[in-house]
Amino acid sequence: MEKITNLCKRRGFVFQSSEIYGGLASCWDYGPLGVELKRNITEAWWRDNIVAREDMVGLDSAILMHPKVWEASGHVEGFTDPLVDCKSCKQRFRADQLSGPKCPECGGELTEARQFNLMFRTFMGPVEDTASTIYLRPETAQGIFVNFQNVLNSSRMKIPFGIGQIGKSFRNEITPGNFLFRTREFEQMEIEFFVKPGDDAEWHERWKAERFAWYQRYGIRRARLRLREHDKEELAHYAKRTADVEYEFPMGWSELEGIANRTDFDLKQHAKTSGKALTYFDEERKTHVVPYAIEPSAGADRSVLAFLVDAYREEEVRGEKRVLLRLHADLAPIKIAVLPLLKKRDEIVARAREIQGRLARRWVSVYDDTAAIGRLYRRQDEVGTPYCVTVDVQTVGDRERGETGDAKVTIRERDSMDQIRVPVAELETVFRELLTDGIPWSTVGARYPATTKS
Ligand code: ATP
């Protein structure tokens, strides 16, 4: 984990929040590369789960909601963790995460457990009293439930269908930590998939399989993923069954996503508390029915961590260490780096800049000439850039000697370090195939002559 946090800071993926003031515990800021990585993850999720599916629509509900929402959902009453204090060192812990009866830090005696509500409270408007108390949402899900009827009435969706949303949630966690894994402010990618009562078990299985496959589609190794069923005692108050997608993080197997069968609990609770009907009309049975909700709930920040950890590799190449992030091309923050082989030759620099300018209209790309080519390649490997384009003497020719260039550049692929020689005029076509259409490197690369690896 330390290697990942160092890389994140050094290369601009993730910084400590408010670092110049000593930092704010468990809050993190995404730097120039981190913001691209996280956006690519949330966009892939949105594209695959919302845009590409006929049975899904999206939503973006407000973080601040009517306080009754949290009474109805059970969060005011029950969204708590058992908290214990160490009588000696005064540190606080979650009782359910301790392995023994003593303080894990100093071995001191612990207090009795008491329930601690994880919701952040604040006030709305100028008066700070109970009537104006509101909460920062601890999950995005409730925004979906309270809009169920709005979406149904406005979108002509028919059961089974789902509503997805991506947004920030806040939990005053007792023991945050492990870098991006557990923070007090985080982003969720949540779906509530509404089905007929009775079809819920089948849809739960389908979503478990779908979500388990999704992480592998973007490169996470199968051996580091598992599905774990919650046992009865572990189930949340609203859930009939829950399975977690777990990843083998550096600190051990931990939840990446929870897939719960929330039954009709939330819609019924909101209907009861608000007095508004939250049902759909079952055409076959000619009656109003409260649907069941299957909830795949993933964390964007935990996903960033899992994708980074999984992609991180150290290799030895010709006696030297090479650090690389084998990120899926869709997730990589930079898609293409354009590099001049010689900085001293103006024509090479000019051509490289022109090519980068053209490619940047479609793909996130950079130009870099601040080191020798070997260093430049390693820098890009370390942040997961899948392709480098190198402009050299052959590309531009030598005017003094009366030699015209061949107008070809070298493309280098990150993982294999294979290189091919491609006409400049075909770069857009090649990158469209590789980056937009997802055609494998082996297929595209085979069309062009190979040069030595580097
Ligand atoms: P945990 O048991 O780890 O506290 P949870 O079971 O309470 O998590 P859920 O309520 O199921 O978590 O939330 C769904 C997803 O939201 C989690 O799988 C995780 O990816 C993400 N998530 C929840 N809490 C946090 C947090 N404090 N920091 C980062 N991500 C979180």
Side-chain angles (χ1 to χ4, degrees), residues 79 94 139 171 173 180-188 190 230 238 244 255-258 295 297-302:
F79 193 59
R94 257 171 73 172
E139 60 175 29
R171 295 180 189 178
E173 300 275 4
L180 301 171
F181 182 81
R182 191 182 303 285
T183 55
R184 294 192 170 112
E185 170 182 344
F186 55 95
E187 199 157 330
Q188 291 187 304
E190 291 198 301
H230 283 210
Y238 49 73
D244 288 344
E255 173 179 341
L256 186 54
E257 167 162 353
E295 177 194 72
S297 170
D301 314 83
R302 267 188 206 179

Side-chain angles (χ1 to χ4, degrees), residues 400-418:
E400 278 169 23
R401 290 196 195 167
E403 289 168 15
T404 49
D406 64 2
K408 289 181 180 168
V409 287
T410 301
I411 302 182
R412 171 187 181 270
E413 196 266 342
R414 179 195 65 206
D415 299 344
S416 60
M417 294 183 283
D418 286 345

